[in-house]
Amino acid sequence: MRLPAVATVLLLSATGCVKEISSEERLERESPSRSSAGDTPDAAALSKVNCDDTGDALNQARNVNRPESDRVMSYIDLYTSLQKRNATFEEAMNRNPDLHYTEGSQKLVAARENCIQQTADVKVEFETYVRELVDVPTVQEVKGGNTVTVARLDFNTLRQAIETLNPDDKEQLMGRVLNAEKKVAPAAAPAEEPASSGSSGSGRKRGK
């Protein structure tokens, strides 16, 4: 007569455990989705993202009176910033398709399209400038009657620009920068020697 009673107790215990585990598992399954949704900007937050403030940064990058290393860094910073803003729009709208249809969605779509266009335009301008620098990465200067080859800009900055753009021929461009760097290094030391020769002539012209 004890066996049925024991069996009943075990059955009730097992049933209680199943319900408890099921509840925990359900909470765990819900947590990732809640976390994911919480990380995605809503319409109000996304409305603050735009690419209308790039004018000053672009003018800085275009300013021919600035050192070329500084100009390249301005292009890098601007292009990287635009890429991040595009990524924000892309991620938010992919995770929450309703953003396409909520109130004010036309402004969001327009802002996103503007960012895409701005990024494309800046990339073309940035890449054109970088390729010009790779084509003519050095200049020749006349110091104390001697002509020496010097870099137009810091080669590591030029490499960073190529990495940022990540073109299909990135490795070829990197190789050309390395070759230019090798040409500059040997000429750097003799450039200091003629300082006492009394020659006042000095000039500068671009070289490859």
Side-chain angles (χ1 to χ4, degrees):
M1 292 300 293
R2 291 183 180 180
L3 286 177
V6 172
T8 302
V9 171
L10 290 175
L11 181 59
L12 290 173
S13 298
T15 304
C17 291
V18 170
K19 288 182 180 179
E20 185 178 355
I21 293 173
S22 176
S23 176
E24 291 176 355
E25 288 177 345
R26 184 165 56 254
L27 287 173
E28 289 177 358
R29 284 196 297 268
E30 291 174 356
S31 296
S33 61
R34 289 175 181 172
S35 175
S36 177
D39 293 340
T40 305
D42 58 14
L46 203 59
S47 66
K48 298 177 182 179
V49 181
N50 64 75
C51 297
D52 297 330
D53 59 348
T54 60
D56 290 342
L58 197 54
N59 288 335
Q60 288 290 315
R62 291 171 173 169
N63 188 350
V64 296
N65 295 319
R66 299 178 68 213
E68 292 190 286
S69 292
D70 293 346
R71 291 183 61 195
V72 170
M73 285 306 304
S74 292
Y75 272 117
I76 291 173
D77 292 342
L78 175 57
Y79 182 60
T80 301
S81 174
L82 288 170
Q83 284 183 310
K84 289 179 179 177
R85 289 179 241 186
N86 272 305
T88 299
F89 275 115
E90 186 76 15
E91 183 179 8
M93 291 186 163
N94 283 343
R95 288 190 177 186
N96 187 3
D98 290 342
L99 290 173
H100 289 276
Y101 312 107
T102 57
E103 183 179 355
S105 62
Q106 291 181 345
K107 291 183 179 181
L108 293 179
V109 172
R112 181 189 184 190
E113 291 177 351
N114 180 46
C115 278
I116 292 173
Q117 187 61 52
Q118 288 260 33
T119 304
D121 291 344
V122 168
K123 181 179 181 181
V124 170
E125 189 173 316
F126 179 21
E127 185 168 349
T128 299
Y129 182 42
V130 167
R131 288 185 181 277
E132 176 197 330
L133 292 170
V134 173
D135 285 341
V136 189
T138 63
V139 294
Q140 291 184 329
E141 290 186 346
V142 178
K143 293 184 178 180
N146 289 340
T147 300
V148 296
T149 301
V150 298
R152 284 179 67 181
L153 75 164
D154 177 65
F155 286 127
N156 287 330
T157 301
L158 187 52
R159 290 189 183 93
Q160 184 180 348
I162 295 171
E163 288 285 356
T164 302
L165 287 166
N166 195 28
D168 292 338
D169 59 344
K170 181 178 76 172
E171 295 304 322
Q172 296 178 19
L173 296 177
M174 289 292 194
R176 293 173 65 182
V177 173
L178 179 60
N179 289 336
E181 193 171 30
K182 291 177 180 178
K183 293 178 182 178
V184 169
E192 303 296 330
E193 295 177 2
S196 60
S197 63
S199 299
S200 58
S202 177
R204 179 170 181 163
K205 59 182 179 179
R206 293 185 179 184
K208 293 186 178 181

